[in-house]
Amino acid sequence: MTGVIDRTELWIVILALGLGSFGLRFVFLGLVGDKAMPDWVLRHLRYTAVSVLPALVAPLVVWPGATGGEIDPPRLIAALVAVAVGLGTGRTLAAILCGFAALYGMFWLIG
């Protein structure tokens, strides 16, 4: 059978990924957590959250699986609304909620 993973192999992969994730966090929080970080490191860490959300969302806007990888106007408009609200207000939650409303509003209007 192709495409089926053995349960033992699956659990080994899950445990390895869990240990790896714990190890990465422990390096920063456990070993460096009580020490003062240099200003240049703190300055760069501020932009981590700002870069992660677009990296997760961009493929869903440009190549959505629901449309077979073709650009979809409702998703594109919702992304543009979310970017505009985010830049205009500076509030992440407002951008997410307005993008959500625009997406479902466009689905309702366009179909």
Side-chain angles (χ1 to χ4, degrees):
M1 247 177 5
T2 60
V4 178
I5 189 169
D6 180 46
R7 284 183 183 232
T8 306
E9 187 176 345
L10 173 67
W11 280 106
I12 290 171
V13 169
I14 290 172
L15 290 173
L17 289 172
L19 289 172
S21 178
F22 175 80
L24 285 172
R25 286 175 176 81
F26 182 75
V27 166
F28 284 103
L29 299 175
L31 299 178
V32 185
D34 61 343
K35 297 180 179 99
M37 291 184 156
D39 288 336
W40 66 271
V41 171
L42 295 174
R43 187 172 54 247
H44 287 81
L45 285 175
R46 283 188 299 191
Y47 298 107
T48 302
V50 175
S51 65
V52 168
L53 191 58
L56 291 172
V57 173
L60 299 174
V61 172
V62 180
W63 302 286
T67 62
E70 294 184 23
I71 292 179
D72 189 30
R75 287 175 174 80
L76 191 58
I77 291 169
L80 293 173
V81 167
V83 168
V85 170
L87 289 174
T89 65
R91 299 186 178 272
T92 305
L93 187 58
I96 292 170
L97 293 176
C98 289
F100 173 78
L103 178 66
Y104 284 97
M106 292 307 297
F107 280 150
W108 182 75
L109 283 175
I110 295 174

